[in-house]
Structure formats: C-alpha cells, structure tokens
C-alpha cells in the first residue's frame, strides 16, 4: 500500500515502476535485471488501473478487452471478471449484455461504475501484478471492501495500491508513505 498527500509523487512512482516514465538515472529492477531490457514482457505482467479510466465509444465487451486476442474468451470468463469487479448488478440491467454500447467518456455510467470497468479491464489478462491507483476512490466504503475482498481471493498476485483512505490497506502486508520526496515504511498498527 502507498499513501501520501496529493502531489507527493504516488502516481509518478507507479508510472516509473510500470516504465510509463523512464528514469534518466537509475532503474526499476526485477530479479536484479533492469525492466528496461524487457519492457513489453514486464508490462504484460501488470494490470494497471489508473485514476482516470478511458471509455471507448464501443461495446462493453470491447471496453473490457481492449485487445482482440481476449475477445474470444467464453462468456463465463467475462461474467467471472464482471463479478470480481463488482459490476454484476449493473450488468444484469444491460439490454444487450456484453454487446451493450457504452458511450464515450462513460456519460451513462457513474464514477464508481467507470472505476469498476477499469478493474475488470485490468483483470482481463490475468496479470501477476495488479496496480490500483486510487482505483476505488469513487466507491463507497462497503463496495470498495467487497471489491478488494474479491481481488484478494486471486492467487499468486502482487497487489500495489495507492489510496488516501488508510482503511483500504487493511489486508496489505506492507504500507509505505511518500513524504517530501522520500519513502517511509508505515506500521500496520495505525490501521487497526
């Protein structure tokens, strides 16, 4: 878990970690190897849910996939992803299911539905690392707790989460605070 005040560099840290931003000096290392040497493979391991989710003027299915290779998955796979992202109640109301058209910028969706769509998108390719950058900030505490509970059921995953709500980190084993350009480990005692 990563906490810090607005503008402290939390999202920038994630953009460096994912190689969206390259460091002029220094490296992001995985098993003592620079991720710059295998950027495509590194990024394929990551499911990244940014603060702002881009919505296509397209079907729900295409908004979740963003990748032609994933469109051939079975309906049951999509429904499982929709459930994990907490979208099942909304999905049941859609007139054409996965083929329902979603309007650009998500004008027909609430902020929470857009965030959950971003979570579904990130889960679609079964990433080894799931990064949530304020990905549940538009959700009420109960919905956030349910979605995180579903996500934590996923096996063999590393979760990195940025949040302003300290209670979000209840199930995280390490919590870090960014303050004045430095990273500090935070005691879990402050959550309990």
């Amino acid at each position: 878990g990563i906490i810090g005040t607005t503008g402290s560099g939390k999202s920038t840290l994630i953009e460096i970690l994912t190689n969206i931003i390259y460091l002029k000096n220094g490296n992001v290392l995985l098993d003592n190897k620079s991720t710059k040497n295998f950027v495509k493979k590194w990024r394929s391991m990551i499911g990244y849910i940014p603060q702002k989710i881009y919505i296509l003027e397209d079907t729900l299915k295409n908004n979740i996939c963003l990748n032609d290779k994933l469109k051939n998955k079975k309906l049951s796979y999509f429904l499982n992803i929709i459930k994990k992202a907490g979208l099942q109640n909304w999905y049941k109301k859609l007139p054409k299911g996965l083929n329902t058209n979603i309007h650009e910028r998500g004008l027909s969706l609430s902020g929470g539905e857009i965030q959950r769509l971003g979570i579904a998108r990130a889960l679609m390719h079964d990433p080894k690392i799931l990064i949530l950058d304020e990905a549940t900030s538009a959700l009420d505490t109960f919905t956030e707790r349910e979605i995180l509970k579903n996500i934590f059921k996923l096996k063999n995953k590393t979760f990195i989460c940025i949040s302003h709500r300290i209670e979000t980190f209840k199930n995280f084993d390490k919590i870090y605070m960014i303050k004045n350009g430095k990273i500090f480990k935070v005691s879990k005692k402050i959550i309990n």
Side-chain angles (χ1 to χ4, degrees):
I2 302 171
I3 59 173
T5 58
T6 303
S8 64
K10 300 179 301 295
S11 295
T12 302
L13 176 64
I14 295 303
E15 289 174 353
I16 291 168
L17 180 67
T18 57
N19 286 334
I20 291 172
I21 295 176
Y22 287 105
L23 294 171
K24 290 180 183 177
N25 299 312
N27 280 297
V28 175
L29 301 176
L30 177 66
D31 297 330
N32 292 319
K33 296 175 188 154
S34 173
T35 57
K36 289 179 187 176
N37 297 332
F38 54 97
V39 172
K40 191 173 180 179
K41 184 177 179 186
W42 173 238
R43 287 184 180 161
S44 73
M45 296 169 60
I46 297 170
Y48 176 50
I49 307 155
Q51 291 179 28
K52 294 181 183 174
I53 307 296
Y54 180 76
I55 303 296
L56 303 171
E57 179 81 33
D58 207 335
T59 64
L60 172 61
K61 183 177 192 176
N62 290 341
N63 267 285
I64 293 174
C65 289
L66 295 183
N67 181 328
D68 286 337
K69 293 176 187 173
L70 298 172
K71 290 179 186 176
N72 297 325
K73 296 277 189 184
K74 292 181 179 182
L75 176 62
S76 59
Y77 187 86
F78 280 95
L79 294 178
N80 187 35
I81 296 295
I82 286 167
K83 182 178 180 183
K84 287 176 184 172
L87 283 169
Q88 66 273 23
N89 290 335
W90 172 76
Y91 175 80
K92 289 175 186 175
K93 297 175 191 172
L94 298 178
K96 296 180 183 175
L98 288 173
N99 294 317
T100 301
N101 201 46
I102 306 294
H103 299 290
E104 188 176 357
R105 295 188 316 266
L107 297 178
S108 61
L109 304 174
S110 71
E113 288 164 344
I114 291 171
Q115 284 191 322
R116 287 178 275 178
L117 183 57
I119 292 168
R121 187 181 287 169
L123 293 174
M124 192 65 196
H125 70 277
D126 193 25
K128 293 179 190 253
I129 302 166
L130 192 61
I131 300 174
L132 299 94
D133 185 355
E134 293 288 347
T136 57
S137 63
L139 303 175
D140 61 86
T141 306
F142 176 76
T143 304
E144 177 190 47
R145 196 176 306 134
E146 284 299 306
I147 289 171
L148 289 175
K149 187 170 89 175
N150 288 338
I151 289 172
F152 277 117
K153 288 178 185 175
L154 302 172
K155 301 293 182 205
N156 303 316
K157 306 277 183 221
T158 298
F159 301 101
I160 300 172
C161 181
I162 294 174
S163 181
H164 288 99
R165 294 188 277 209
I166 194 75
E167 60 273 5
T168 300
F169 303 122
K170 192 170 189 126
N171 293 315
F172 284 77
D173 58 350
K174 294 177 184 160
I175 304 166
Y176 296 94
M177 176 182 282
I178 298 179
K179 188 174 182 180
N180 300 325
K182 296 187 179 176
I183 301 173
F184 302 93
K185 192 167 184 180
V186 176
S187 170
K188 284 208 44 145
K189 291 178 184 176
I190 64 170
I191 298 173
N192 301 325

